[in-house]
Amino acid sequence: MRLLKRWAWWTIVGIVLAVFFVGYGYTRKAETQKYYNQAIEAGKQSIRDGNYDAARLSYRDALKKKPNDDFATTVVDQLTDYQRGMKDMNNGKYADACQKFQRVANVDSGSSLLVQRSSGLATELKEAIKERKIFLKAYRKAKTLSENYEYTASNTKLAVILGYGSINESYYRDVYNNAKKLK
């Protein structure tokens, strides 16, 4: 009888401890999931707002709660390439920027908004790179004509550059300024 009481007492203690630890584990898991979800949502909002540094921090916070999460890891990688692409674009390295934007645009399982923005920028840069080649060729020809005192022909070549509707875009600023000086 005494053995039965002892056994029952330890069974009850075991059940109480099991319930406690299971409850603690469940609560901890739910709290981790809640924090993760909040970090992901904050990251998505930051991307919508164009605040990419804040987005990266939010996704890294999410990775602290779920270190092997594929989605958050992918978005952090996308953000890295996107920001590097923006830096290259601002520094006039259009081909490098286009490559980075294309890499972001080719990701299937990350941020669809980054894919959309990167795809648009990659397309825009491809067009700008083509146009720059045309403008640079026209500028070089105009410069040669000007050096040979053929000013009318030179100005005709410059008109191709200066008359372009989007010539004031940052992609063409150097060509535009050179063409204005030569004219």
Side-chain angles (χ1 to χ4, degrees), residues 9 15-16 22 58 60 74 77 79 97 108 123 134 152 167 169:
W9 188 82
I15 290 172
V16 168
V22 168
S58 293
R60 285 191 175 158
T74 300
D77 292 343
L79 284 163
D108 293 330
T123 302
I134 293 167
T152 304
I167 195 64
E169 292 287 331

Side-chain angles (χ1 to χ4, degrees), residues 36-56:
Y36 169 84
N37 290 341
Q38 287 173 342
I40 293 292
E41 284 307 311
K44 288 178 180 179
Q45 184 60 49
S46 293
I47 289 173
R48 282 191 292 272
D49 296 342
N51 189 346
Y52 303 112
D53 289 330
R56 182 193 313 251

Side-chain angles (χ1 to χ4, degrees), residues 17 40 45 47 53 69 81 84 96 123 158 166 183:
L17 286 174
I40 293 292
Q45 184 60 49
I47 289 173
D53 289 330
D69 184 64
D81 280 340
R84 287 179 180 163
D96 292 343
T123 302
L158 291 174
S166 299
K183 187 176 180 183

Side-chain angles (χ1 to χ4, degrees), residues 9-135:
W9 188 82
W10 281 111
T11 302
I12 292 172
V13 167
I15 290 172
V16 168
L17 286 174
V19 168
F20 174 76
F21 284 115
V22 168
Y24 175 77
Y26 177 78
T27 302
R28 183 106 166 121
K29 184 177 179 178
E31 187 178 306
T32 298
Q33 185 65 39
K34 180 182 173 187
Y35 182 82
Y36 169 84
N37 290 341
Q38 287 173 342
I40 293 292
E41 284 307 311
K44 288 178 180 179
Q45 184 60 49
S46 293
I47 289 173
R48 282 191 292 272
D49 296 342
N51 189 346
Y52 303 112
D53 289 330
R56 182 193 313 251
L57 289 174
S58 293
Y59 282 101
R60 285 191 175 158
D61 284 346
L63 284 169
K64 288 177 185 173
K65 290 300 178 181
K66 289 188 177 181
N68 298 323
D69 184 64
D70 289 337
F71 177 73
T73 301
T74 300
V75 176
V76 168
D77 292 343
Q78 280 183 299
L79 284 163
T80 300
D81 280 340
Y82 186 86
Q83 287 184 297
R84 287 179 180 163
M86 292 299 289
K87 184 177 179 182
D88 284 348
M89 190 171 78
N90 292 334
N91 290 330
K93 298 177 182 177
Y94 303 121
D96 292 343
C98 186
Q99 201 173 41
K100 288 175 180 79
F101 291 137
Q102 197 61 54
R103 198 166 40 234
V104 174
N106 290 338
V107 173
D108 293 330
S109 59
S111 167
S112 59
L113 186 54
L114 282 176
V115 167
Q116 181 183 2
R117 288 179 183 169
S118 294
S119 179
L121 285 169
T123 302
E124 185 178 323
L125 283 173
K126 285 176 188 174
E127 185 65 29
I129 290 167
K130 274 195 254 180
E131 293 293 326
R132 278 185 59 79
K133 286 179 183 177
I134 293 167
F135 294 152

